């Protein structure tokens, strides 16, 4: 049976439910969340010889052909969360054509399974005041093209014309696009909920694309001293945001964070610019400690500049050892930091990335 | 050779170019736009037995396996435009995994090929002032859930706090989601350009989801008198927009339009509410003339209420006959209207939908 209580009582976002295919024969519900939190996946094909599903809580699972050319398998139970999945049809990975919720990425295409019942309420769409998520384009003189930013403004931003807000720069991970912290990370709904509960400050969140060299065809990206992302972030994105949004423009009202490679970009840019950022967040990051050796040499000075140095990683993350070594370096150097570990077997995933957002956003700008 | 002049000179949007796959072996550029406006499609697979490409300017084309497991075909030449395409791998339709630009739809997944050189400059990202595209969620009491709106605000909207703007409600077509007029229709860039050239008025564009019954699992949508879209549009979306945006709230500053089914929804709601809308736009619509017979009975009265009744359709559109009959009814009834036909063989596509936007947006609120 469909577990749709939240849908019917107003807790659901419009397009979060996979939708029924309208064309091409009998309809099939591609994902059915059962009462015991198992999930039944269905895929209809008259021609497929082999169909599997790949879902992040279970890996690859063989599906079996039943009536009406529908292949099915029931997987789980799963801890209620939002899971990327795809079908593998005769060896080819495909998104669920009937599900408009997808994972924005450079190199793979997954759909998103949203198990609401029992999942973190802070990640759901609740009846609270909602902010807005803006897609804006800034012109980069450095790159000679427009880059895109996804920008969250908190509830009532437009009405509070005399109010200025702190800004959190939040960087996508390897192969993720600038949409990922919105469409997969649910940063907007997490913040809406935390703000409504009085747990987080109202803030603007700026989500840039962490990999601007891919704006260009292979081999065509301009060569620069230093890396393109850091330059466009500091010299172009920040001025653009501060010109076009009502921001508080000092270090104690700026935070920077990111997931995976984006976490490294956040730490590298944050630590290299402690006159600009007081809050640093690392989510499941690949950390390159050698980038900023000077900050470890004078812990008292560094600690005086940083209000929050937050690091989260899953103990099953393939980057765990790297993250742990970095944490050890911080501790050994006397750099104050906050560590959060998950041991839920989710490893290097957006299930963890959302959890880390939930845990760290309340600590910003306090 | 890649035709990248626009990219290197700043005319390109960040993610408009298909990106190179970063993982899984030698990189392959999935689409290469050649100097003669043919397009070479490449797809790499070690296991595929048959690969085709389906692209809206050419239909399905067989690809041939060459070196390094790369299947290729060169298609066209094509008139420069933005074309949906997908690969068909052993009979399975898949998006281009390496291209983040995609067609948001309920039931199929296509990528977008953007041929800039020679294409309509009005549809490109130019160095002009840019508006913002906001994703916002409105609570629907009627449906008991949140619906999503995509809302364009023109350049400098945030800075002109004393200015109020006219509003264009723009409805998605069958199986398209509320993102389609942004991600495929490029309404934001078209308006940015038309406004910069002084050809279109500054306006807010509200893009709702035309098919809210699909917010619910099959058979679970609430039953209502009349249709759900019309009710939520008039009773919920419009009040939400007028509360949260600086809108001019009278009929002469409201327009409604849409593509395909959305065009019918636009005409039905516009004609049924001529106290609320003075501008009506129908793009490649399926028209159900019987919905509003009263407007045809007193042409003088109807004409006095309508400032623009604009209808565009392709002569190759499968809905052309239906559209033509509707136009004939309008003419026979003495209802003033503006007709635009295309004969570019593009039929019922977003190539035409964008062209119709270009042609009709300058006529709104004049």
């Amino acid at each position: 049976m469909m577990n749709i209580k939240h849908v019917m009582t107003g807790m659901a976002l419009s397009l979060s439910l996979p939708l029924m295919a309208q064309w091409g024969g009998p309809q099939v519900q591609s994902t059915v969340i059962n009462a015991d939190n198992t999930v039944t996946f269905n895929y209809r094909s008259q021609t497929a010889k082999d169909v599997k599903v790949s879902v992040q809580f279970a890996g690859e699972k063989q599906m079996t052909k039943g009536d009406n050319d529908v292949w099915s398998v029931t997987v789980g139970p799963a801890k209620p969360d939002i899971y990327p999945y795809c079908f593998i049809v005769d060896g080819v990975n495909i998104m669920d054509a009937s599900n408009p919720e997808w994972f924005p990425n450079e190199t793979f295409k997954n759909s998103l399974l949203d198990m609401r019942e029992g999942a973190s309420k802070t990640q759901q769409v609740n009846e609270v005041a909602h902010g807005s998520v803006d897609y804006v384009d800034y012109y980069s003189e450095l790159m000679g093209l427009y880059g895109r930013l996804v920008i969250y403004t908190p509830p009532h931003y437009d009405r509070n014309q005399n109010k200025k807000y702190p800004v959190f720069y939040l960087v996508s991970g390897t192969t993720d696009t600038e949409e990922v912290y919105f469409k997969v990370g649910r940063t907007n709904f997490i913040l809406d909920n935390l703000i409504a509960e009085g747990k987080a400050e109202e803030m603007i969140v700026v989500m840039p694309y962490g990999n601007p060299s891919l704006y260009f065809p292979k081999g065509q990206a301009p060569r620069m001293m230093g890396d393109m992302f850091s330059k466009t972030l500091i010299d172009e994105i920040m001025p653009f945001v501060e010109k076009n949004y009502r921001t508080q423009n000092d270090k104690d009202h700026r935070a920077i964070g990111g997931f995976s490679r984006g976490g490294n970009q956040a730490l590298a840019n944050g630590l290299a610019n402690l006159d600009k950022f007081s809050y640093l967040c690392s989510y499941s990051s690949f950390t390159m400690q050698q980038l900023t050796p000077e900050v470890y040499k004078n812990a008292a000075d560094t600690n005086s500049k940083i209000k929050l140095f937050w690091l989260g990683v899953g103990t099953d993350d393939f980057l765990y050892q790297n993250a742990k070594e970095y944490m050890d370096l911080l501790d050994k150097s006397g750099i104050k930091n906050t560590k959060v570990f998950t041991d839920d077997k989710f490893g290097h995933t957006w299930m963890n990335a959302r959890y880390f957002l939930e845990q760290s956003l309340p600590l910003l700008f306090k």
Side-chain angles (χ1 to χ4, degrees), chain A:
Chain A
M1 207 206 101
M2 279 294 295
N3 190 347
I4 56 161
K5 185 176 159 202
H6 276 326
V7 179
M8 306 308 289
T9 53
M11 301 298 180
L13 173 65
S14 60
L15 291 177
S16 294
L17 275 182
L19 305 173
M20 272 69 61
Q22 294 296 289
W23 312 108
Q27 295 181 352
V28 55
Q29 179 98 17
S30 56
T31 62
V32 179
I33 301 163
N34 304 301
D36 62 352
N37 285 327
T38 59
V39 181
T40 302
F41 291 90
N42 298 305
Y43 181 86
R44 184 173 171 277
S45 170
Q46 294 182 323
T47 55
K49 293 176 185 62
D50 180 74
V51 184
K52 298 182 181 72
V53 65
S54 173
V55 55
Q56 276 200 357
F57 65 78
E60 284 186 19
K61 295 291 177 187
Q62 183 66 48
M63 300 174 75
T64 308
K65 192 170 183 176
D67 296 338
N68 297 319
D69 303 312
V70 176
W71 296 71
S72 298
V73 66
T74 297
V75 184
K79 179 184 164 197
D81 208 316
I82 303 165
Y83 295 103
Y85 71 99
C86 68
F87 294 110
I88 306 173
V89 181
D90 295 333
V92 180
N93 288 18
I94 62 167
M95 291 173 75
D96 179 353
S98 68
N99 183 353
E101 293 249 351
W102 76 307
F103 194 123
N105 188 278
E106 297 162 2
T107 58
F108 68 82
K109 300 282 178 275
N110 270 201
S111 300
L112 294 173
L113 168 74
D114 187 352
M115 302 176 68
R116 292 189 190 88
E117 198 78 17
S120 164
K121 192 154 184 284
T122 306
Q123 298 181 16
Q124 302 300 324
V125 188
N126 300 315
E127 286 190 57
V128 298
H130 288 279
S132 166
V133 177
D134 305 349
Y135 284 55
V136 297
D137 304 299
Y138 77 98
Y139 187 71
S140 166
E141 295 283 349
L142 280 170
M143 297 190 285
L145 47 66
Y146 279 89
R148 178 155 280 177
L149 305 172
V150 177
I151 299 185
Y152 168 84
T153 56
H156 314 307
Y157 174 84
D158 284 339
R159 280 188 243 168
N160 297 327
Q161 283 296 321
N162 296 319
K163 182 164 176 161
K164 291 175 184 280
Y165 297 82
V167 184
F168 184 23
Y169 292 86
L170 191 51
V171 190
S172 61
T174 300
T175 77
D176 295 335
T177 78
E178 75 285 351
E179 291 192 276
V180 74
Y181 262 112
F182 167 36
K183 298 226 168 173
V184 188
R186 294 201 164 198
T187 308
N188 55 323
F189 296 128
I190 292 173
L191 259 175
D192 289 344
N193 291 322
L194 291 172
I195 290 168
E197 293 173 46
K199 290 182 181 168
E201 295 296 310
E202 294 182 328
M203 68 184 80
I204 293 167
V205 184
V206 176
M207 296 164 266
Y209 181 40
N211 190 21
S213 67
L214 277 198
Y215 286 170
F216 301 88
K218 184 169 167 13
Q220 303 280 1
R223 291 176 190 281
M224 296 182 189
M225 297 293 289
D227 77 287
M228 205 181 308
F229 174 76
S230 297
K231 283 185 181 289
T232 195
L233 174 71
I234 303 293
D235 296 341
E236 299 184 321
I237 293 173
M238 286 177 60
F240 175 89
V241 169
E242 293 176 5
K243 181 179 171 195
N244 290 287
Y245 289 81
R246 299 192 309 282
T247 54
Q248 292 176 287
N249 301 329
D250 59 83
K251 71 190 297 294
D252 287 352
H253 296 94
R254 291 198 201 99
I256 187 164
F259 173 72
S260 192
R261 179 199 61 207
N264 181 57
Q265 291 172 304
L267 293 185
N269 283 286
L271 290 169
N273 296 280
L274 287 176
D275 58 325
K276 295 188 174 65
F277 300 97
S278 293
Y279 296 83
L280 310 176
C281 294
S282 161
Y283 309 128
S284 312
S285 297
F286 176 64
T287 50
M288 294 169 71
Q289 48 194 262
Q290 72 280 11
L291 283 178
T292 48
E294 62 275 18
V295 303
Y296 314 108
K297 293 180 185 158
N298 186 340
D301 180 61
T302 299
N303 287 334
S304 74
K305 294 173 177 168
I306 298 178
K307 290 190 173 256
L308 179 74
F309 198 147
W310 197 98
L311 304 107
V313 69
T315 55
D316 291 292
D317 195 315
F318 76 97
L319 295 177
Y320 173 72
Q321 194 56 38
N322 170 279
K324 191 68 178 54
E325 284 168 14
Y326 186 65
M327 293 167 175
D328 289 346
L329 170 70
L330 293 178
D331 289 343
K332 202 178 71 182
S333 307
I335 310 289
K336 285 187 213 160
N337 65 86
T338 302
K339 302 175 195 70
V340 170
F341 300 96
T342 59
D343 58 358
D344 50 16
K345 316 291 180 202
F346 282 157
H348 199 69
T349 69
W350 278 87
M351 289 80 85
N352 272 331
R354 280 188 299 272
Y355 176 79
F356 293 145
L357 277 180
E358 271 195 66
Q359 298 302 308
S360 59
L361 286 168
L363 306 176
L364 299 181
F365 314 121
K366 289 287 176 70

